Amino acid sequence: MEKQNKLAIIPLGGLGEIGKNMTVIRYGDDIVVLDCGLAFPEDEMLGIDLVIPDITYLLENQDKIRAVVITHGHEDHIGSLSYFLKQIDVPVYGTRLAMGIAEVRLKENNVANYTLIPIKPGDELTFGSIQVGFIQGNHSIPDVVGIYFRTPVGTIVHTGDFKIDYTPVDGKVIDLPKFAQLGNEGVLVLMSDSTNAERPGFTKSERTVGAVLDEAFNGAKGRILLATFASNVLRVQQAINSACKNGRKVAIIGRSMINVINIARELEYLLVPEGTIIDIDEIKNYPDNQILILTTGSQGEPMSALTRMALSDHRKVAITPSDTIIISATPIPGNEKSVSKTIDALLRLGAEVIHERSMGIHVSGHASQEELKLMLTLVRPQFLIPVHGEHRMLITHGKLAQDLGIPKENIFIGTNGQVFEFEQGVDGVTGKLAGKVTAGKVFVDGLGVGDVGNIVLRDRQMLSQDGVLIVVVTMDKGSGGIVAGPDLVSRGFVYVRESGSLMGEAKQQVKQALDKCEAGQVTEWAAIKTSIRDALGKFIYEKTRRRPIILPIIMEV
Amino acid sequence: MEKQNKLAIIPLGGLGEIGKNMTVIRYGDDIVVLDCGLAFPEDEMLGIDLVIPDITYLLENQDKIRAVVITHGHEDHIGSLSYFLKQIDVPVYGTRLAMGIAEVRLKENNVANYTLIPIKPGDELTFGSIQVGFIQGNHSIPDVVGIYFRTPVGTIVHTGDFKIDYTPVDGKVIDLPKFAQLGNEGVLVLMSDSTNAERPGFTKSERTVGAVLDEAFNGAKGRILLATFASNVLRVQQAINSACKNGRKVAIIGRSMINVINIARELEYLLVPEGTIIDIDEIKNYPDNQILILTTGSQGEPMSALTRMALSDHRKVAITPSDTIIISATPIPGNEKSVSKTIDALLRLGAEVIHERSMGIHVSGHASQEELKLMLTLVRPQFLIPVHGEHRMLITHGKLAQDLGIPKENIFIGTNGQVFEFEQGVDGVTGKLAGKVTAGKVFVDGLGVGDVGNIVLRDRQMLSQDGVLIVVVTMDKGSGGIVAGPDLVSRGFVYVRESGSLMGEAKQQVKQALDKCEAGQVTEWAAIKTSIRDALGKFIYEKTRRRPIILPIIMEV
């Protein structure tokens, strides 16, 4: 891939997984990076706050990076910028809204130096040998673009996250003619969103939600609380529209909801009539049927406003039986249970809850099968790289493309770090898998980036299952005799006050192990520790069938 | 509820939650317990193996308990028997298959004394003033019954877990005429399965899966691996039938699959032609297209056979690109992510995977809305208690019943421990909520039953997030001076080898805290420990934004 006349596409994230989208486009000495996202931790990543892509490859090739280009302002596409820009100083290009949201994050993370450059759909920029263009798209956030890259080997089209919405709320229909024009000119590679590749049919227009909201608002007798993704600005717009028609004031709860609404209003992506928005503390000044509360928590996140309300633990809002709660979102895979619990808790408080199963209160932001086929038909690429989705979705997307006549060998299903290489040959351009570069997950835990790895996670996993049992002994430096202890301290193992005899017996086991060491003239600390660990571990397992982490600590005086 | 002429229904589990089903029926001095199930732990129940119902109420009323009656052999209906029967010695009645499965569990759990009495649908038994009858049902396990209770106050009908299958694989159609007969005689209370109350329509017959399996088997060129619930004997039967038609031998993997198949064959619920089943070690003696492997792991359980295969970590079976893997099950809520990961891992190995989204490879064992309406229409109860499901499903079930004309005030949506009380009055029987009895979750962790409570779980939660940091100091008994230490040991906090300076600074913080104590003549250990914890906690949070559990330990010499 080092050769000058080769084009390389290297996804560093987002392939065969959800989140942390990042793709490297390289031709010769020019690199453009598409998106710079984060992922949220999976269940087994205990204590981890965020997951970002491993950018070793980019650090090694810093001098070649000309730009980062951003498709839209979702966290899984911009969320790593703070970490990236602290290490690599390059300009970032994206739509005004995406740049607005990114800037808030950069400031929050104390990133001092950054260059964010707003672009508009239709703009074209040149970075060395790579010409980059932006195409209007549709998605669950406004101001979203697909991006194409013209290179000496051929044109790459990346759809970004997209759906086809003929009647978008902001009137900005995805620029299908532009995709068609690129197709007519000839496209080498299409990289296309696979999230909904398993869904037959056509994703509904965002506008259809508006009518459903109107109906729900008309039916509500008390307050309405509506939870959705903060970034779904056009959903928020429709909720505010319904509130206005219904004579309701709008109060906003939840940090991310407040942030995004502020940016969106400032940049005029969200249009709110004067006097509509009130402070949450003012809601008591209005009758219940004149109130809409917009809130975060559509995913049942433990600390979110809606979850706190469901647990009667919110400082400002107490749910009552006359409230109608609308959850205008689908649970992201993995969140089903927490969403379900939130709904149950709200119902127990007597509230009416309108959620996803009740049809039409939410639509997806991703293209279903018929839209994917339409995109393939307009762009007619020589090669397809399905992106953005779990592995099985990429495969399904690939099968759809085969049905449309793209040869199987021209469909590349890859994993992160895979180098897809394209080269001009005698009979046209050939493409192949050409090795891998470093790629993977870097864990962010508090202020630590990458300092929690598999060893720490394995310990957390063990601690979470059966806790920890600490044995402390103070020994004489000269004689090796016990001066104090052994003392046993545990956390997360058993409730000690009710397990006095077990802990007493355990202490005896440690004493016996120490006596044995003394008798056998074992004086090496490591060996003594192993004896304690083995004897105690065996005893505890026999008595309880648990395996706490056993930590022997020897103090020397 | 102590009065002689009152009938009480007290659910101790299964109401507004998934699992651990148990209901008390009491009239005067006679108690019959319906089902005795367990639940699997939720994500936040760290290290817990099983959850069983709190049976305090039954222990207090042991002398009145005449019998336990079981609807079917699923773990959420029989899985607590081992714990129950160790404390309360009463006979257990259930179908042959349910009793067969229960007996295996009782033996595994070393329960010495038990009386399991097989019953057949149509049987009636008398326990004091309560007459109990069993009605043939349909579900995702054979030999399932609904149960009715005739009492002096009126008749209770409990559907058990049910669906209506007009063409069940074993030919045993749910005994709708019996439900109708009870309805004609007059039913006071119907307790009915709410699991699928949110699903419109009619649940498909188990038999429809057979045709889909046949087709999948015909299309497979190599080995077939089929994962389903071990207890879904009729699904297993259909898979074996398809294998036989297709000229395939059947090998079985997974302890629970082997157990259930053995019992089901022994009791003749599963009919397998001679020579069909082979040992897993024999599969290499047959061509790939003559092999079906039945396996556990349809829920992506970490230790299950299919998950191990997906991770190329199974001792006996290595997945190859010519394998077809059929996952004939739907993810139970909470398992979506692990199932999805298993599918992705299998696809990465190149195998063909047929899973739930491909229509028809699985059908539910629970009644959808039209079936629930049919049941309500046949039984025509005075009161409805929706059971078996999360709170919102109970509510939806209640709304369906209202549509059919049952007055809202006669529909009781309760929680575990609620006493539903019925009494003969002048104008007929009245029903009301009459207080609560002790009910809740008892955690089983290894051999411990109930010894892990909220304090231990909270510690495990904290340990899982940021680990533990232990500070040990040996101090002089007389002077209070430091003799050894402070030493710092951590687990699950940071990778210590790469955080030497942080740990060094942390040690300094502890030393300063100790110096301050000495200077201030603080000699109380508790106060010294608090100083250490505060100083270290603050330092660590500032440096890392993490909050490990800090455990100061002082040794005295």
Side-chain angles (χ1 to χ4, degrees):
Chain A
M1 65 204 159
E2 300 298 327
K3 295 201 195 130
Q4 291 301 320
N5 60 343
K6 289 181 181 172
L7 169 66
I9 299 175
I10 314 172
L12 293 179
L15 215 54
E17 63 173 7
I18 292 174
K20 71 175 183 65
N21 295 282
M22 175 177 260
T23 303
V24 175
I25 311 288
R26 174 173 175 165
Y27 179 79
D29 280 338
D30 297 314
I31 285 178
V32 177
V33 179
L34 179 132
D35 285 340
C36 192
L38 58 74
F40 294 100
E42 305 198 5
D43 285 348
E44 67 274 18
M45 300 174 189
L46 296 169
I48 300 302
D49 300 322
L50 304 171
V51 181
I52 59 177
D54 185 331
I55 56 168
T56 304
Y57 175 80
L58 291 174
L59 289 169
E60 287 167 0
N61 292 281
Q62 297 204 39
D63 57 313
K64 303 186 182 68
I65 307 175
R66 309 292 163 228
V68 175
V69 292
I70 299 290
T71 56
H72 62 288
H74 276 154
E75 290 287 353
D76 58 334
H77 295 260
I78 61 165
S80 287
L81 277 174
S82 306
Y83 306 94
F84 180 93
L85 293 177
K86 276 182 186 169
Q87 299 179 78
I88 300 176
D89 182 24
V90 289
V92 180
Y93 299 81
T95 59
R96 280 171 70 226
L97 183 62
M99 295 300 94
I101 295 172
E103 188 157 27
V104 174
R105 283 273 178 281
L106 291 170
K107 283 181 178 159
E108 280 174 355
N109 285 292
N110 303 312
V111 181
N113 295 311
Y114 54 82
T115 313
L116 302 181
I117 303 169
I119 55 85
K120 285 192 303 295
D123 284 357
E124 286 197 347
L125 302 166
T126 300
F127 302 110
S129 54
I130 303 173
Q131 198 185 19
V132 176
F134 302 88
I135 317 167
Q136 175 70 50
N138 290 134
H139 186 42
S140 48
I141 185 171
D143 226 13
V144 48
V145 290
I147 300 180
Y148 58 90
F149 305 84
R150 292 192 213 272
T151 77
V153 180
T155 299
I156 302 164
V157 175
H158 194 297
T159 62
D161 290 12
F162 85 106
K163 69 187 282 187
I164 293 171
D165 194 338
Y166 297 114
T167 57
V169 174
D170 60 0
K172 293 177 183 161
V173 182
I174 182 170
D175 191 353
L176 295 177
K178 181 70 189 178
F179 284 103
Q181 181 203 323
L182 290 164
N184 290 336
E185 291 167 18
V187 169
L188 179 64
V189 184
L190 174 66
M191 304 178 77
S192 183
D193 179 359
S194 310
T195 313
N196 277 351
E198 296 182 318
R199 265 196 225 178
F202 215 98
T203 302
K204 279 191 184 176
S205 170
E206 174 65 29
R207 196 179 288 268
T208 61
V209 178
V212 179
L213 287 179
D214 277 348
E215 199 180 323
F217 275 52
N218 285 330
K221 294 192 180 67
R223 295 186 301 189
I224 297 173
L225 291 95
L226 185 138
T228 189
F229 294 104
S231 60
N232 201 334
V233 175
L234 298 176
R235 184 73 46 83
V236 168
Q237 178 74 68
Q238 297 200 95
I240 291 174
N241 294 350
S242 295
C244 291
K245 286 185 218 165
N246 207 244
R248 290 174 187 263
K249 299 289 178 189
V250 181
I252 304 159
I253 289 187
R255 194 176 58 96
S256 62
M257 186 64 85
I258 292 169
N259 278 346
V260 175
I261 289 183
N262 283 345
I263 301 165
R265 290 185 74 185
E266 202 180 301
L267 301 177
E268 297 181 346
Y269 288 97
L270 186 65
L271 304 174
V272 186
E274 204 63 44
T276 304
I277 291 183
I278 60 171
D279 191 88
I280 191 67
D281 291 320
E282 293 179 67
I283 57 174
K284 58 180 180 303
N285 304 334
Y286 296 85
D288 282 356
N289 64 2
Q290 291 176 21
I291 293 292
L292 165 66
I293 299 173
L294 291 174
T295 174
T296 53
S298 67
Q299 297 299 307
E301 307 93 322
M303 305 307 285
S304 68
L306 188 65
T307 307
R308 283 173 185 274
M309 291 178 209
L311 300 174
S312 302
D313 185 34
H314 194 275
R315 285 181 310 123
K316 308 269 187 182
V317 181
I319 299 296
T320 72
S322 65
D323 291 336
T324 299
I325 294 144
I326 302 174
I327 299 179
S328 184
T330 311
I332 291 172
N335 293 347
E336 294 85 354
K337 198 92 187 221
S338 49
V339 172
S340 173
K341 278 189 176 177
T342 303
I343 294 172
D344 264 23
L346 293 166
L347 287 169
R348 285 208 176 90
L349 296 171
E352 183 82 14
V353 182
I354 301 174
H355 58 96
E356 195 258 332
R357 300 224 178 185
S358 330
M359 297 296 286
I361 205 70
H362 175 70
V363 296
S364 172
H366 296 276
S368 299
Q369 292 182 344
E370 295 308 312
E371 289 152 278
L372 296 178
K373 290 182 198 166
L374 172 50
M375 182 59 75
L376 281 159
T377 302
L378 293 178
V379 177
R380 300 188 306 287
Q382 185 179 343
F383 295 93
L384 172 70
I385 304 177
V387 296
H388 207 280
E390 294 173 35
H391 197 73
R392 66 168 203 274
M393 301 163 187
L394 307 182
I395 288 182
T396 307
H397 196 170
K399 283 184 181 162
L400 290 180
Q402 272 183 262
D403 290 347
L404 301 194
I406 298 186
K408 192 174 180 184
E409 61 274 17
N410 285 11
I411 298 165
F412 292 150
I413 313 284
T415 51
N416 297 323
Q418 180 69 57
V419 179
F420 301 102
E421 199 178 75
F422 303 90
E423 193 178 9
Q424 182 70 53
V426 218
D427 305 325
V429 178
T430 57
K432 65 172 183 188
L433 307 191
K436 297 198 99 180
V437 304
T438 303
K441 297 176 169 72
V442 173
F443 298 136
V444 179
D445 181 4
L447 296 181
V449 178
D451 67 335
V452 170
N454 288 331
I455 294 174
V456 174
L457 283 187
R458 201 197 51 203
D459 282 347
R460 287 183 185 171
Q461 178 62 26
M462 290 179 70
L463 289 168
S464 77
Q465 292 303 297
D466 291 321
V468 60
L469 187 56
I470 301 146
V471 187
V472 194
V473 198
T474 305
M475 301 182 90
D476 186 275
K477 208 175 298 196
S479 69
I482 300 173
V483 185
D487 282 1
L488 261 64
V489 179
S490 82
R491 279 294 183 283
F493 168 49
V494 288
Y495 188 47
V496 177
R497 286 200 196 168
E498 290 176 357
S499 308
S501 71
L502 177 72
M503 296 303 267
E505 285 175 61
K507 214 167 183 171
Q508 282 307 316
Q509 295 289 325
V510 176
K511 276 188 187 149
Q512 283 171 25
L514 288 168
D515 288 349
K516 251 191 221 164
C517 287
E518 212 182 342
Q521 300 204 318
V522 178
T523 54
E524 276 278 310
W525 282 16
I528 296 174
K529 284 184 183 177
T530 304
S531 302
I532 294 174
R533 201 180 282 121
D534 290 352
L536 195 54
K538 189 161 171 271
F539 170 78
I540 292 291
Y541 185 71
E542 272 168 13
K543 286 284 181 180
T544 66
R545 288 286 183 279
R546 297 180 200 168
R547 297 191 189 281
I549 288 191
I550 294 174
L551 277 184
I553 302 175
I554 300 174
M555 304 288 286
E556 196 176 53
V557 293
Chain B
M1 67 207 158
E2 298 297 328
K3 294 201 197 132
Q4 291 302 318
N5 60 342
K6 289 181 181 172
L7 169 67
I9 299 176
I10 314 172
L12 293 179
L15 215 54
E17 63 173 8
I18 292 173
K20 71 175 184 65
N21 295 283
M22 174 178 262
T23 302
V24 175
I25 311 289
R26 174 173 175 168
Y27 179 81
D29 281 338
D30 298 314
I31 284 177
V32 177
V33 179
L34 179 132
D35 285 341
C36 191
L38 58 75
F40 294 101
E42 304 196 7
D43 284 349
E44 68 273 19
M45 300 173 190
L46 296 169
I48 301 301
D49 300 323
L50 304 171
V51 181
I52 60 176
D54 184 331
I55 56 167
T56 304
Y57 176 79
L58 292 173
L59 290 168
E60 287 167 1
N61 292 281
Q62 298 206 38
D63 56 313
K64 302 186 182 67
I65 306 173
R66 310 291 163 228
V68 175
V69 293
I70 299 289
T71 58
H72 62 288
H74 277 154
E75 290 287 354
D76 58 334
H77 294 261
I78 61 166
S80 287
L81 277 174
S82 305
Y83 305 95
F84 181 92
L85 294 176
K86 277 182 185 169
Q87 299 179 79
I88 300 177
D89 182 24
V90 290
V92 179
Y93 299 82
T95 59
R96 279 170 71 225
L97 183 61
M99 295 300 94
I101 294 171
E103 188 157 26
V104 174
R105 283 276 178 281
L106 291 171
K107 283 181 179 159
E108 281 174 356
N109 284 295
N110 303 312
V111 181
N113 294 312
Y114 54 81
T115 311
L116 302 181
I117 303 168
I119 55 82
K120 286 192 303 295
D123 285 356
E124 287 196 346
L125 302 166
T126 301
F127 301 110
S129 53
I130 304 173
Q131 199 185 18
V132 176
F134 302 89
I135 318 167
Q136 175 71 49
N138 291 134
H139 187 42
S140 50
I141 184 172
D143 226 13
V144 49
V145 290
I147 301 181
Y148 58 91
F149 303 84
R150 291 193 213 270
T151 77
V153 178
T155 299
I156 302 163
V157 174
H158 193 298
T159 62
D161 291 13
F162 86 104
K163 70 189 279 190
I164 294 172
D165 194 338
Y166 297 114
T167 56
V169 175
D170 60 1
K172 292 177 183 161
V173 182
I174 183 170
D175 192 353
L176 295 178
K178 181 69 191 179
F179 283 102
Q181 182 203 322
L182 291 164
N184 289 335
E185 290 168 17
V187 169
L188 178 65
V189 183
L190 174 66
M191 304 179 77
S192 183
D193 179 358
S194 311
T195 313
N196 278 352
E198 296 183 317
R199 264 196 225 177
F202 215 97
T203 303
K204 278 192 184 176
S205 170
E206 175 64 29
R207 195 179 289 267
T208 60
V209 177
V212 179
L213 288 179
D214 277 350
E215 199 180 323
F217 275 52
N218 285 330
K221 294 194 178 68
R223 295 186 302 189
I224 297 172
L225 291 94
L226 186 139
T228 190
F229 294 103
S231 60
N232 201 335
V233 175
L234 299 175
R235 184 73 47 83
V236 169
Q237 178 74 65
Q238 297 200 95
I240 291 174
N241 294 350
S242 295
C244 290
K245 287 185 217 166
N246 208 246
R248 289 174 187 264
K249 300 288 178 189
V250 181
I252 305 159
I253 289 186
R255 194 176 59 96
S256 63
M257 187 63 87
I258 292 169
N259 278 347
V260 174
I261 289 183
N262 282 344
I263 300 165
R265 290 186 73 186
E266 202 180 302
L267 301 178
E268 296 181 347
Y269 289 95
L270 186 65
L271 303 174
V272 186
E274 204 62 45
T276 303
I277 290 181
I278 60 171
D279 191 272
I280 190 67
D281 291 321
E282 292 179 67
I283 57 174
K284 59 181 180 302
N285 304 334
Y286 296 85
D288 281 356
N289 64 2
Q290 291 176 21
I291 293 293
L292 165 66
I293 299 173
L294 291 174
T295 176
T296 53
S298 66
Q299 297 299 309
E301 307 93 322
M303 305 305 285
S304 68
L306 188 65
T307 308
R308 284 174 184 275
M309 291 177 210
L311 300 174
S312 302
D313 185 34
H314 194 275
R315 285 181 310 122
K316 309 269 187 181
V317 181
I319 299 297
T320 73
S322 66
D323 291 334
T324 298
I325 294 144
I326 302 174
I327 299 179
S328 184
T330 311
I332 291 172
N335 293 346
E336 295 85 353
K337 197 91 187 220
S338 49
V339 171
S340 173
K341 279 189 176 178
T342 303
I343 293 171
D344 263 21
L346 292 166
L347 287 169
R348 285 208 175 91
L349 296 171
E352 182 84 12
V353 182
I354 300 173
H355 58 95
E356 196 258 332
R357 299 224 180 185
S358 329
M359 296 298 285
I361 206 70
H362 174 70
V363 296
S364 171
H366 296 276
S368 299
Q369 293 182 343
E370 296 308 313
E371 290 152 278
L372 296 177
K373 291 182 197 166
L374 173 48
M375 182 60 75
L376 281 159
T377 302
L378 292 177
V379 176
R380 302 189 305 287
Q382 185 179 344
F383 295 93
L384 171 70
I385 303 178
V387 295
H388 207 282
E390 294 172 36
H391 197 74
R392 66 168 202 273
M393 300 163 187
L394 307 182
I395 289 181
T396 307
H397 195 173
K399 284 183 180 162
L400 290 179
Q402 273 183 261
D403 290 347
L404 302 194
I406 298 186
K408 194 175 179 185
E409 61 274 19
N410 284 11
I411 297 165
F412 291 151
I413 312 283
T415 52
N416 297 323
Q418 180 67 58
V419 180
F420 301 102
E421 199 179 75
F422 303 89
E423 192 178 8
Q424 182 70 52
V426 217
D427 305 323
V429 178
T430 56
K432 63 172 185 189
L433 308 191
K436 296 198 100 180
V437 304
T438 305
K441 296 176 169 69
V442 173
F443 298 137
V444 179
D445 180 5
L447 296 182
V449 179
D451 67 335
V452 170
N454 288 333
I455 294 174
V456 174
L457 283 187
R458 200 198 51 203
D459 282 347
R460 287 183 185 172
Q461 179 61 29
M462 290 179 69
L463 290 168
S464 77
Q465 291 304 298
D466 289 322
V468 62
L469 187 55
I470 302 146
V471 187
V472 195
V473 197
T474 304
M475 300 181 91
D476 186 274
K477 209 176 299 195
S479 70
I482 300 172
V483 186
D487 281 2
L488 262 63
V489 180
S490 82
R491 280 293 183 284
F493 168 51
V494 288
Y495 188 48
V496 177
R497 287 199 194 169
E498 291 176 358
S499 309
S501 70
L502 177 72
M503 296 303 266
E505 285 175 61
K507 215 168 180 168
Q508 281 308 316
Q509 294 291 325
V510 177
K511 276 188 189 153
Q512 283 171 25
L514 287 168
D515 288 348
K516 252 191 222 165
C517 287
E518 214 182 341
Q521 300 202 317
V522 178
T523 54
E524 275 278 310
W525 281 16
I528 297 174
K529 284 184 183 178
T530 303
S531 303
I532 296 175
R533 201 179 283 121
D534 291 351
L536 195 54
K538 189 160 169 275
F539 170 78
I540 292 291
Y541 184 72
E542 271 169 16
K543 286 286 182 180
T544 66
R545 288 287 182 279
R546 297 179 199 170
R547 296 192 189 279
I549 288 190
I550 295 175
L551 277 183
I553 303 174
I554 300 175
M555 303 289 285
E556 196 176 52
V557 294

